[in-house]
Amino acid sequence: MGDAYMIREVWESNLEEEFGLLRRLIGRYNYVAMDTEFPGVVARPIGTFSSTSDYHYQLLRSNVDLLSIIQLGITLMDAQGRPPPGVSSWQFNF
């Protein structure tokens, strides 16, 4: 531990610069973890569900279908699970 990894906020103003850095790193750090953020829950599914898991899946699916993504996060790692030094994660803000 002890290594500090930076998360870079990406907006329209620095999008091209961050894409350039990603392009330089992706050849060596070609394992990508992703995370998405949506603004919340605006709908609840109705009907009969086969299980609680089915209900939760339908809840998530219906809200993702209705809403727009507000943030996409990615983290790069190499084949041994090591992130690049410095910036290893990016949060793309929409």
Side-chain angles (χ1 to χ4, degrees), residues 13-64:
S13 61
N14 65 336
L15 181 64
E16 292 301 322
E17 177 183 344
E18 298 306 324
F19 274 167
L21 179 55
L22 282 164
R23 281 191 294 272
R24 289 190 295 279
L25 291 171
I26 199 68
R28 179 166 178 207
Y29 299 94
N30 52 6
Y31 287 77
V32 180
M34 295 180 64
D35 176 54
T36 58
E37 299 294 330
F38 289 83
V41 175
V42 296
R44 301 218 180 261
I46 56 172
T48 304
F49 305 96
S50 61
S51 65
T52 302
S53 295
D54 182 35
Y55 171 79
H56 287 128
Y57 172 78
Q58 296 301 330
L59 174 68
L60 179 63
R61 188 185 77 130
S62 61
N63 282 279
V64 167

Side-chain angles (χ1 to χ4, degrees), residues 6 36 81 93:
M6 205 166 101
T36 58
N93 299 283

Side-chain angles (χ1 to χ4, degrees), residues 7-23 32-38 68-76 87-94:
I7 299 171
R8 187 75 56 93
E9 295 288 337
V10 182
W11 300 91
E12 182 179 11
S13 61
N14 65 336
L15 181 64
E16 292 301 322
E17 177 183 344
E18 298 306 324
F19 274 167
L21 179 55
L22 282 164
R23 281 191 294 272
V32 180
M34 295 180 64
D35 176 54
T36 58
E37 299 294 330
F38 289 83
S68 296
I69 187 173
I70 59 171
Q71 192 176 70
L72 169 70
I74 65 167
T75 297
L76 300 181
V87 177
S88 58
S89 298
W90 289 259
Q91 291 185 154
F92 292 86
N93 299 283
F94 301 100

